[in-house]
Amino acid sequence: MMEEGVNMIKELIKIKENNNIVSIFCDEDDTSMFLEGYIYAIGRQDFLIKHITPHGLADGYILKKIDSVMHLEISGQYEKKIEKLYSKKNQRHIDLKLQDKVSLKNNIFQICMNNKYIVSIEMIQDDECPIKGVINKIDDNKVIVSKLTEYGEDDGEAILKKENINSSFFKLNSYNSMKFYILDSNFYNFYSSSELQSYNVNTLIPYIK
């Protein structure tokens, strides 16, 4: 399993270095469900994707566990179509400032909390009912989210164990400036990045957050 994880990290690094749009499949039983976008950052256990919709529109970031990936596809007709649409529509994702010596997951949680970004968080074994809202507290073991309904109304709090978080998706919009924001019904995406310069297995770890 360790070797498989390292091999997947190496593949993600190559895709990132080549700036390929990639289709990411996490459910071999339903290949119609996949994530599409650019790899923005890679951590020891997670990676961050600049998500793109089927219409070629920038659609926030998705943070996903590396070991949840079943397979990857690049350079196919679909990936080329999405790349062309993204370019022709002049789409872009806002860059994120990641801290050194901080895990990718903690970087993303901190960025979302500081900027009051609306997030959608999937829990392990409960990906059908993601937690949607604004992160208001983080510590070593848990994340506390002020939940929002699909109409943007306050809906109490959720206390989440970090180890049970499967993936998280966020859009770069401030809660304070989105009083009438309606949450998407298809929050299922993730991403982030530090510059990775080598994928040699012996020098891999120093480049990974």
Side-chain angles (χ1 to χ4, degrees):
M1 290 295 292
M2 178 64 176
E3 185 177 350
E4 289 181 11
V6 171
N7 287 337
M8 183 58 72
I9 290 173
K10 289 167 63 178
E11 293 302 323
L12 291 170
I13 291 173
K14 285 193 288 186
I15 290 169
K16 180 182 182 300
E17 288 179 337
N18 293 329
N19 199 34
N20 294 127
I21 280 188
V22 58
S23 300
I24 301 161
F25 295 81
C26 299
D27 186 351
E28 289 290 1
D29 295 326
D30 186 0
T31 55
S32 67
M33 295 294 293
F34 58 93
L35 305 172
E36 191 77 22
Y38 291 101
I39 305 299
Y40 186 65
I42 304 163
R44 293 175 183 267
Q45 298 179 323
D46 310 279
F47 66 109
L48 193 68
I49 305 164
K50 294 195 290 188
H51 187 249
I52 302 172
T53 73
H55 301 292
L57 302 176
D59 190 38
Y61 286 78
I62 300 175
L63 182 72
K64 196 75 174 174
K65 284 184 176 293
I66 291 171
D67 63 11
S68 71
V69 177
M70 296 293 104
H71 79 271
L72 307 168
E73 294 184 6
I74 58 173
S75 304
Q77 291 185 359
Y78 183 77
E79 289 81 23
K80 290 176 181 177
K81 182 192 80 169
I82 297 300
E83 183 176 25
K84 185 178 292 186
L85 288 172
Y86 186 81
S87 175
K88 285 186 174 295
K89 293 181 179 182
N90 297 315
Q91 295 294 291
R92 69 183 184 91
H93 286 72
I94 297 173
D95 284 334
L96 305 176
K97 294 183 179 180
L98 301 178
Q99 299 179 43
D100 293 332
K101 300 180 180 180
V102 176
S103 73
L104 181 55
K105 181 181 285 187
N106 285 338
N107 257 303
I108 297 309
F109 289 157
Q110 194 67 50
I111 288 170
C112 290
M113 183 176 72
N114 292 346
N115 293 281
K116 297 187 181 299
Y117 294 147
I118 293 177
V119 302
S120 178
I121 299 176
E122 289 182 0
M123 306 303 291
I124 294 174
Q125 299 180 339
D126 190 23
D127 56 3
E128 296 296 324
C129 300
I131 305 298
K132 299 169 185 176
V134 178
I135 295 173
N136 62 37
K137 187 175 180 180
I138 306 166
D139 64 24
D140 292 339
N141 302 309
K142 64 181 180 294
V143 176
I144 299 178
V145 177
S146 293
K147 293 166 54 183
L148 296 171
T149 69
E150 60 183 324
Y151 302 108
E153 298 171 345
D154 293 338
D155 192 30
E157 287 190 340
I159 302 170
L160 314 176
K161 290 179 66 174
K162 280 185 181 178
E163 64 187 54
N164 291 336
I165 292 175
N166 184 43
S167 67
S168 57
F169 167 72
F170 62 98
K171 293 195 173 188
L172 299 181
N173 299 100
S174 169
Y175 175 63
N176 290 335
S177 66
M178 296 173 56
K179 194 169 184 179
F180 302 106
Y181 184 78
I182 305 300
L183 293 177
D184 285 358
S185 61
N186 63 341
F187 274 171
Y188 58 91
N189 317 45
F190 69 154
Y191 320 45
S192 143
S193 162
S194 55
E195 290 308 313
L196 301 170
Q197 302 166 6
S198 171
Y199 55 86
N200 181 293
V201 67
N202 294 319
T203 57
L204 186 62
I205 298 304
Y207 296 106
I208 298 175
K209 289 189 176 296

